[in-house]
Amino acid sequence: VSALIFTLVLGGCAKPTEPFPAGSISPGETLGHLGETATVCGEVASGMQFPKLEGEPTYINIGKPFPDQDFTVLILGKNVGPFDQPLTRLKGKNICVTGLIVDGQSTPLIELVNLDQLVELN
């Protein structure tokens, strides 16, 4: 019986609990990493585009939808082209973004400038 329990426990530990790369952080951890360059992974929960605002920003909320998001990805209009309709394409997907985590007034954020900052996991 103890060998069976040991096998079950080991089997449970061997399975990954998250589909995210080692060393990445969750959206909820970003507040503790302001000013650091990191990789943040989570599910795209919501997003909004503001073509009439200065910079034509696109905001992508990771983890939880607006207004309860823990973390936001910002893509300015001048940079959005290579990301190919990010709100439509990424909604509901798990992604990782890498960059400098800054205080986005209401939530920590990373601004995406280059395609190599974004990895789609599914």
Side-chain angles (χ1 to χ4, degrees), residues 4 6 10 13 35 47 64 78 97:
L4 177 60
F6 181 74
L10 265 183
C13 291
K64 298 177 190 171
K78 67 182 181 181
V97 295

Side-chain angles (χ1 to χ4, degrees), residues 7 9-10 24 28 30 38 40 45 48-49 51 54 62 67 79 83-84 88 90 95 98 104 108 113 116 121:
T7 303
V9 169
L10 265 183
S24 64
T30 56
V40 181
M48 301 170 116
Q49 290 180 305
E54 183 179 343
I62 310 297
N79 299 320
F83 293 98
D84 188 31
T88 304
L90 298 176
I95 65 169
T98 301
V113 179
D116 62 355
L121 301 175

Side-chain angles (χ1 to χ4, degrees), residues 5 15 17 29 45 76 95 116 122:
I5 292 171
K15 294 179 184 176
T17 57
E29 296 174 295
L76 294 178
I95 65 169
D116 62 355
N122 64 359

Side-chain angles (χ1 to χ4, degrees), residues 13-65:
C13 291
K15 294 179 184 176
T17 57
E18 302 255 350
F20 306 126
S24 64
I25 62 173
S26 71
E29 296 174 295
T30 56
L31 193 57
H33 293 273
L34 291 176
E36 297 177 19
T37 297
T39 298
V40 181
C41 299
E43 183 179 346
V44 175
S46 69
M48 301 170 116
Q49 290 180 305
F50 295 95
K52 294 185 179 184
L53 289 181
E54 183 179 343
E56 302 175 356
T58 296
Y59 295 99
I60 300 171
N61 301 307
I62 310 297
K64 298 177 190 171

Side-chain angles (χ1 to χ4, degrees), residues 83 96-100 110-119:
F83 293 98
C96 292
V97 295
T98 301
L100 179 65
I110 289 177
E111 181 180 350
L112 295 187
V113 179
N114 300 306
L115 278 175
D116 62 355
Q117 290 179 267
L118 172 70
V119 175

